[in-house]
Each structure stands twice: as structure tokens, then as C-alpha cells.
Amino acid sequence: MIPSSSGGEAAAGWKHSLRQAWRDPVALLSAIGLETLAGSLDRASPFPFLVTREFAARMQPGNPRDPLLRQVLPTLTERRQVEGFGADPVGDQASRRNPAMLHKYHGRVLLITTAACPIHCRYCFRRDYDYASDRLSQGRLEHIRDSIAADPSIAEVILSGGDPLTLGDQRLRRITDILRPIPHIRRLRIHSRMPVTLPSRIDAGLIDWLASLPWQQVMVIHANHAREFDREVAESLDRLRRAGVWVFNQAVLLAGVNDQEDALVELMETSFAHGAAPYYLHLLDRVAGSAEFEVDAARARELLCAMRVRLPGFLVPRLVREQAGAAYKVPLL
Ligand SMILES: *Cc1c(COP(=O)(O)O)cnc(C)c1O
Ligand code: SF4
């Protein structure tokens, strides 16, 4: 195999930025003038604090209810045991045919490429996922290739995680090289928060890799609030779109972050203005520790109706809930 030469120096840029991410919540709080919140922190959470400098720079100093800060700050309220909130709310364990691969829906398989993320979102449904036993090793990758090759119904491979773009270009190439000979794959989809949390990840090396692939490509990013977008994010999405990648945004409906009509309308308008069309608006998956973010279904439907009144049809997201055992993500309205 010819080693990729496009990684190297170029890749060092984003890797360096990733290493600079905030890992001490108290340090971030003092940088944004919110030391007073330190008392509410859960310092011993097994899902540690992590946020990139780039994302944190979009927080409003002095605002204890900042919607970006709220998504990442580990607080003691996460320890509350709430009925109905558990470890595997979406039934992922049941759809693991292969380690590191989920085959839940017709025609699509989802690969757990890595456990790493550039940011730890407190409401994440994968926060308790058993990644250690589910890593995408070379042996497992060969196994996955064989089972995709044996099932002609699979037209789409989704790289997920964690965040697949925390992997270097060479690692990504190894994954797609092994899948390349399978004739029935039509699309590669990437689920990543990187264009939003670390826009420099969408660099020339990554674009070279995408350009080398034989399939249509889809990137589904994840932003929950209009203020997550800025000029750098727009530029990263522009690089993807110019490379022919279809870009969509999925969001989670989160209390205290985006559960207001204006915030949602602004999110949909802003994400489109920056190059990502709205895809899903998810109801929270009821993972243990995330109860404070829940918005009930009735309120969610109300918000969707309000968006329909104010937005063109193509900016209205599909409001869905994941139901264990269902054949698709179930629309609420
Ligand atoms: C969400 C998800 C998909 C993709 O579903 P779409 O409705 O096509 O976006 C595929 N596999 C798994 C396991 C999922 O959770
Ligand atoms: S998988 Fe996505 S939602 Fe979960 S912590 Fe990582 S970036 Fe956040």
C-alpha cells in the first residue's frame, strides 16, 4: 500500500489544537468570569469535562446560563437517579452484530470508529457506552468488511463514534480502503461534531481523502444553538461542500439550551446560512445523568408547529425520537 503523504505537517495543526482543549472546568470558568459556578461542579464524574478552545471561545463571558457552556459543564445534578433514565436507552447493545458495528436500520450500518470526541456533551446517549470492548481494530474491520460484503442490502456506511474525525487521515484511509472493493456501497456518511468544535480539522489532507473515495458523501454535523456557528465553521463547511459533500445538521432538543421558539428558528436559519441544512431534531435519549435536559413530547410538538409557521419547509427539521426496536427514528408529528 502506498502510504499517504498528505497527513504529516498539515495534520499537526488540528492535532495540536485538540491537545489544547480545556480539561479543567474551573480553569474555563475563571477564564469566562464564572468562578462562582465552581461549587456546582461534579469533579469526579466518570465522563470527564472536555471542550475545545474554539467552541469555548463562542461562550458569553459572565453568562451562567450560556447555552454552549450548559452543554459541557458537569454538574452535581447529573448524579440524580431519575426513573426511566438508564445506561442503554436506544437499544444499541441489541443491534451489535459485530463488535464496533451497529446494524439497526435497513440499508445502513454504523461503525463505532473510536471512543474519542473533541467535546463531552453532558446529554450524550453514548456517555455510558462500553467503548473499551468495542474498538475498531484491524481484525474487526476485516470482519465488518466481510459481513457488509455478504449483505447486498447495505448501501450506506456511517462512520460514527465517538467522533470519527478525531482519527488521523491515515487511519480513515485504512477504513475506507478496506471497504472500497464492496460493489454495493453507494454512500459514505460521517457523523461528526468536528466542523463545529474544531473547524481546522477540515484541512487539505481530509479533503484529499474525501476526494479519493468512489462513493457519494454525506456529513451530518451536530450543533444545538445558533451561537455554535462562526466564520471558521462556515469556512470548514464551505470546504466540504466545494468537495461535493452533502452537509446536514442534527440537533438535540435540550432544556435550557434551545427549547424556545426563537432559539430554534435562529438555529435552523443560522445552520443553513453557514452551509448545513437541518436534518433531525432529536428528543433526548433518556441516558442516566441527562434528566435536567429533557423537554417533554407535548412541548416539543408545540415548538415544531411554531417552526412550521415561521420557516420554509426545507428549514424545518424532522422531530424524532429513537425507540428501541423501531425500524426508523420515529417522527413525533
Ligand atoms: C441514527 C442511526 C442511523 C441513521 O439513521 P438515519 O435515519 O438514516 O439518519 C443508522 N444506524 C444507527 C445505529 C443509528 O442510530
Ligand atoms: S458522540 Fe457527539 S454528542 Fe456524544 S459526546 Fe461526542 S460529540 Fe458530543
Side-chain angles (χ1 to χ4, degrees):
M1 204 162 56
I2 303 162
S4 156
S5 58
S6 51
E9 298 143 60
W14 68 266
K15 283 183 179 164
H16 177 76
S17 302
L18 194 53
R19 279 194 295 272
Q20 303 299 309
W22 293 99
R23 291 170 189 279
D24 175 359
V26 178
L28 172 64
L29 288 175
S30 31
I32 57 176
L34 288 168
E35 298 86 341
T36 47
L37 295 184
S40 64
L41 288 173
D42 183 353
R43 312 291 288 278
S45 171
F47 186 54
F49 172 78
L50 179 68
V51 60
T52 58
R53 301 257 162 188
E54 289 78 354
F55 189 87
R58 300 170 212 146
M59 295 171 182
Q60 279 174 334
N63 178 4
R65 280 188 287 277
D66 182 87
L68 279 57
L69 179 65
R70 182 170 163 79
Q71 293 180 56
V72 297
L73 206 63
T75 61
L76 290 164
T77 53
E78 289 180 18
R79 296 199 178 186
R80 265 192 311 136
Q81 307 253 334
V82 181
E83 203 177 313
F85 285 74
D88 181 24
V90 299
D92 273 355
Q93 299 303 329
S95 35
R96 284 203 287 179
R97 300 284 151 74
N98 277 301
M101 182 174 111
L102 300 174
H103 190 183
K104 206 165 172 176
Y105 302 132
H106 179 82
R108 289 147 286 169
V109 293
L110 183 148
L111 308 191
I112 309 278
T113 57
T114 171
C117 281
I119 178 174
H120 285 171
C121 314
R122 308 316 301 175
Y123 49 83
C124 180
F125 75 100
R126 294 206 198 278
R127 55 180 288 164
D128 290 329
Y129 199 86
D130 182 13
Y131 283 112
S133 69
D134 215 5
R135 211 64 68 74
L136 190 58
S137 61
Q138 189 66 22
R140 284 174 172 169
L141 197 51
E142 285 163 13
H143 206 81
I144 283 169
R145 173 202 56 203
D146 294 345
S147 58
I148 297 175
D151 182 349
S153 76
I154 297 169
E156 180 170 324
V157 175
I158 304 171
L159 304 185
S160 184
D163 194 314
L165 298 188
T166 57
L167 300 175
D169 299 343
Q170 305 234 21
R171 186 88 186 85
L172 292 168
R173 264 179 207 273
R174 274 207 295 277
I175 296 173
T176 49
D177 281 349
I178 210 168
L179 300 174
R180 195 183 277 267
I182 303 175
H184 49 267
I185 296 178
R186 292 188 190 172
R187 285 183 301 277
L188 181 76
R189 188 196 317 188
I190 299 170
H191 281 176
S192 175
R193 244 197 140 177
M194 278 288 201
V196 172
T197 55
L198 197 74
S200 62
R201 175 64 187 96
I202 313 303
D203 61 7
L206 189 91
I207 297 293
D208 281 353
W209 166 63
L210 290 169
S212 75
L213 302 175
W215 314 296
Q216 273 200 303
Q217 294 144 30
V218 179
M219 176 89 64
V220 180
I221 65 165
H222 169 189
N224 303 312
H225 193 277
R227 287 226 331 275
E228 293 176 42
F229 292 91
D230 67 2
R231 194 172 49 80
E232 272 78 40
V233 176
E235 286 167 4
S236 80
L237 299 182
D238 196 48
R239 289 192 287 279
L240 289 167
R241 291 172 60 222
R242 274 185 287 143
V245 181
W246 292 74
V247 183
F248 298 97
N249 179 50
Q250 57 182 342
V252 186
L253 185 56
L254 297 167
V257 174
N258 59 14
D259 59 337
Q260 299 297 325
E261 185 181 324
D262 288 348
L264 286 171
V265 167
E266 198 52 35
L267 170 62
M268 302 311 153
E269 289 277 13
T270 305
S271 89
F272 191 70
H274 286 71
Y279 185 34
Y280 283 138
L281 178 63
H282 295 269
L283 230 58
L284 185 79
D285 294 314
R286 305 187 92 198
V287 67
S290 69
E292 64 175 316
F293 288 107
E294 189 167 55
V295 177
D296 68 48
R299 172 72 180 145
R301 287 190 188 96
E302 214 173 271
L303 289 165
L304 185 73
C305 290
M307 277 189 276
R308 283 190 176 141
V309 171
R310 290 177 54 182
L311 290 168
F314 61 89
L315 291 189
V316 179
R318 302 154 178 84
L319 176 66
V320 292
R321 165 164 44 203
E322 188 125 352
Q323 268 168 30
Y328 45 85
K329 300 192 201 290
V330 180
L332 261 82
L333 201 65

